[in-house]
Amino acid sequence: MKKLLFLIIPVLVLSSCKEDETPVPYSMYIEETNLTLVAEGETYYNRYYTYIPEFELVKPEADWIEVTMDKEFIIIKVERNEGLTSRTASFSLVGKPTTTRTVTVTQTGRPTRVLQVSGAEANSEQPSEEITNALIENSDIWHSSWGEKLDNYYAVFDLREGSEELNIIEITPRDYGNNGRWGQVGIWVMGSVDGEIDPSASDPMDWGGTIGEKDADGYTLMMKVDFAQEGDPRSILLPAGILNPRKVKFHIDGKTSYGGFASLQYVRFIQIVG
């Protein structure tokens, strides 16, 4: 019986030693693999764990994001996003033996606010296709009178009192047919121009006034745009912000618009708030 007991004990000891020598499985864990950071810029500490003896950080190629490591954290720092749209970059931890974990970072664009419009008028309207239609998304269009073709069309929009600043104008041409799609257009704004405007950078057309000039009614000619009779929506960033904007006037060149008419599907006026 004693001999049998002595035999059992070494077997148990050997078995125990063998289990202790089992290697820890290779693994890598990152707390957040999809991050959304704010447009103003921020620093985020992303915790990670790894049981891999050797690994490297493969940094993103984008120049607006910086990624470093400190002990148990991956430190992600993003600069301020001056753009209006979001941007994305990725980086990875690559272990040896091969194990890869990738993190995708999205930074939001600068926030915006839609300004309210209190009224609109045009110097030519077709009955049932008045300029106020352009203030209602998915409504009927504004179209100038079918009974006349003008060299100069004017569409004026009144911004609600209390509007702080105008930075962007979004234009949606009519989504069916071509008549009245804009050619060359001058954009005039009533309000305080926040900064200087370089005429040479925004005046490709020899008509309709000089960029930066103010007319007798108090409008400033901000820029000229050639829509080239295209039907795609257009987002126009003004060369300077307009503080306390009151009115926006589009001077549409009838000679370069399709068919000699003027039309519009939808317009929005936007403030950048961040």
Side-chain angles (χ1 to χ4, degrees):
M1 183 65 180
K2 288 183 178 180
K3 289 183 180 180
L4 181 60
L5 182 61
F6 286 134
L7 286 173
I8 291 173
I9 292 173
V11 170
L12 289 174
V13 171
L14 287 173
S15 176
S16 175
C17 291
K18 192 171 183 179
E19 288 179 3
D20 290 343
E21 292 172 1
T22 301
V24 176
Y26 292 123
S27 62
M28 182 183 292
Y29 171 76
I30 299 177
E31 194 167 67
E32 298 289 346
T33 56
N34 286 284
L35 287 169
T36 299
L37 304 182
V38 298
E40 285 76 8
E42 65 175 301
T43 300
Y44 186 87
Y45 287 77
N46 197 6
R47 190 182 296 274
Y48 78 96
Y49 309 91
T50 181
Y51 297 101
I52 297 176
E54 186 179 353
F55 62 90
E56 65 173 331
L57 170 64
V58 180
K59 296 186 177 183
E61 296 180 358
D63 58 3
W64 52 269
I65 179 172
E66 178 184 345
V67 181
T68 57
M69 301 186 71
D70 181 25
K71 298 179 181 178
E72 72 269 29
F73 291 103
I74 303 170
I75 306 171
I76 304 164
K77 183 177 181 179
V78 295
E79 300 176 353
R80 176 181 170 86
N81 185 0
E82 297 293 346
L84 300 175
T85 58
S86 61
R87 54 189 181 183
T88 301
S90 297
F91 64 89
S92 300
L93 286 186
V94 179
K96 301 176 182 179
T98 303
T99 301
T100 301
R101 297 291 181 269
T102 299
V103 177
T104 299
V105 180
T106 299
Q107 186 184 25
T108 59
R110 297 170 67 183
T112 59
R113 175 187 299 127
V114 177
L115 302 181
Q116 299 300 307
V117 179
S118 58
E121 60 180 337
N123 67 334
S124 180
E125 294 176 317
Q126 178 67 16
S128 78
E129 295 181 340
E130 291 84 4
I131 188 63
T132 50
N133 287 343
L135 299 175
I136 306 171
E137 192 171 10
N138 299 321
S139 179
D140 200 356
I141 63 170
W142 163 57
H143 198 290
S144 60
S145 173
W146 285 93
E148 60 180 348
K149 295 183 181 181
L150 303 179
D151 289 344
N152 298 283
Y153 293 100
Y154 294 94
V156 179
F157 297 89
D158 299 319
L159 299 182
R160 185 168 295 173
E161 185 176 355
S163 297
E164 296 176 355
E165 184 173 355
L166 173 63
N167 306 104
I168 301 168
I169 302 175
E170 292 183 350
I171 300 292
T172 302
R174 59 183 301 177
D175 58 2
Y176 61 93
N178 298 315
N179 271 328
R181 285 185 178 174
W182 294 358
Q184 297 179 1
V185 178
I187 300 176
W188 297 74
V189 176
M190 187 181 292
S192 301
V193 180
D194 185 20
E196 297 183 358
I197 308 171
D198 181 6
S200 63
S202 54
D203 192 358
M205 308 160 205
D206 186 22
W207 76 280
T210 303
I211 300 295
E213 76 169 299
K214 183 174 288 189
D215 68 8
D217 296 322
Y219 289 92
T220 300
L221 179 55
M222 296 299 297
M223 62 192 304
K224 298 176 186 178
V225 180
D226 190 352
F227 287 82
Q229 302 178 4
E230 296 176 350
D232 294 330
R234 186 84 63 96
S235 182
I236 300 168
L237 178 64
L238 297 177
I242 305 297
L243 304 178
N244 303 312
R246 298 185 298 281
K247 292 176 179 286
V248 177
K249 176 172 62 177
F250 298 104
H251 176 190
I252 304 155
D253 180 22
K255 298 184 296 297
T256 59
S257 291
Y258 195 97
F261 299 104
S263 65
L264 178 62
Q265 182 77 32
Y266 186 52
V267 62
R268 289 203 311 171
F269 304 96
I270 296 174
Q271 175 187 355
I272 299 173
V273 297

